[in-house]
Amino acid sequence: MTDAWSLYDQMIAQIPEDVLVRHVSMGAHHCLVEAECGTGVAALHRGGVRLRMERGWVGRPLRELATCAKSWDFEVASTGVAALNAWHNQLGRLDALGLIRDAESTDPFVFLAPIAARMAAEKNDGSRPRAVVVGHFPHLGAIAEHANVSVLERASRADTDLPDTACEYLLPDADLVVMTGMTLANKTMPRLLELSRGALTCVVGPSATICAPVFEAGVDLVAGSVVADAALAREVVTCGAPLHGSGALEHVLAATLCGRAALAR
């Protein structure tokens, strides 16, 4: 197994040392970090140890705040992921990473359904593709029409949800893996990606960091977000409202060559 921290260290190292933090917010549902390079958000992940977020980040290096992504206090780590996204999730940088500007949909549970259908059509033994979804998401029905779907959830929300420890048993045999970007904050992403080497892998949600180290770690598709209206995003987060549907975010899709091939087939 490679060093589990290497993914974090590579993402942090790409942030220039002289980019400074301008504002940090932690709301009921999301974290927001504004920096000289742009604004980033992440879903607020609760759990882990209770260290609490340090105060006084304004004027300090964004790279230093991004190291909080390695914290075992998952709320603190969520803010660190938002700091990573303030640098990485900017349209100017994403064009060089395979941003798909002409995608018919950036909703993973729309564009993954035809991929699952093609996987099913390519099976010549009468079986169905195996899809594993890390995190409980709605709208899985379209994928389930073509694949056997297993949902892994640390806090079960449905009788059919499996505990997240089932990843060790299910992911090595999966054809399609979908995981929430919050797996970066809770430190499960490196192992999940290692187990998913044989699958088409997609990371989704506002926490998803879109950068070369993520693709190099084995991700094929990232359905994430960039902040389209920083002032609105700050207002929504500060008020404790969810960012989804607020108009503050622009949903984007980026892919490796393998991911692009899966979308185009």
Side-chain angles (χ1 to χ4, degrees):
M1 181 178 178
T2 57
D3 177 13
W5 290 121
S6 64
L7 174 59
Y8 298 82
D9 293 337
Q10 290 175 56
M11 290 192 290
I12 292 165
Q14 290 185 354
I15 302 175
E17 295 180 353
D18 58 351
V19 176
L20 304 181
V21 176
R22 289 179 173 172
H23 176 80
V24 178
S25 293
M26 184 182 292
H29 302 284
H30 294 89
C31 304
L32 176 144
V33 172
E34 295 179 49
E36 293 175 332
C37 57
T39 299
V41 297
L44 181 62
H45 194 321
R46 293 181 172 84
V49 300
R50 297 305 296 138
L51 299 176
R52 303 294 180 184
M53 191 67 199
E54 184 182 338
R55 300 178 63 184
W57 281 102
V58 175
R60 292 168 64 179
L62 179 66
R63 181 191 284 192
E64 185 180 349
L65 180 56
T67 63
C68 290
K70 299 173 71 172
S71 173
W72 288 107
D73 181 328
F74 295 157
E75 291 188 8
V76 174
S78 298
T79 306
V81 173
L84 286 170
N85 293 346
W87 173 258
H88 291 292
N89 290 16
Q90 303 297 327
L91 288 175
R93 270 179 280 282
L94 297 185
D95 274 325
L97 283 174
L99 183 67
I100 302 176
R101 289 189 175 272
D102 58 351
E104 292 184 9
S105 175
T106 57
D107 183 339
F109 302 108
V110 172
F111 68 72
L112 288 176
I115 289 177
R118 288 191 287 272
M119 287 180 172
E122 291 168 1
K123 293 279 187 179
N124 55 15
D125 57 2
S127 64
R128 284 159 59 89
R130 290 160 293 194
V132 180
V133 181
V134 182
H136 193 101
F137 293 93
H139 314 305
L140 292 175
I143 297 175
E145 288 182 13
H146 310 285
N148 295 330
V149 177
S150 300
V151 176
L152 308 185
E153 178 60 55
R154 182 159 296 180
S156 177
R157 301 188 195 180
D159 291 343
T160 54
D161 285 355
L162 297 174
D164 58 350
T165 49
C167 66
E168 298 286 338
Y169 302 85
L170 297 182
L171 291 181
D173 295 322
D175 299 294
L176 174 64
V177 173
V178 186
M179 68 184 73
T180 169
M182 294 171 71
T183 55
L184 190 65
N186 69 20
K187 312 300 181 292
T188 58
M189 182 178 283
R191 180 58 177 162
L192 293 173
L193 292 177
E194 186 175 40
L195 291 169
S196 304
R197 284 294 183 183
L200 183 76
T201 305
C202 182
V203 179
V204 306
S207 300
T209 305
I210 310 172
C211 62
V214 168
F215 290 126
E216 291 163 2
V219 176
D220 300 299
L221 297 151
V222 181
S225 302
V226 299
V227 175
D229 187 328
L232 178 58
R234 185 200 280 207
E235 179 183 356
V236 170
V237 170
T238 302
C239 290
L243 280 168
H244 182 72
S246 69
L249 304 181
E250 177 183 345
H251 302 293
V252 296
L253 175 62
T256 62
L257 291 176
C258 179
R260 283 179 174 269
L263 289 168
R265 281 162 53 194

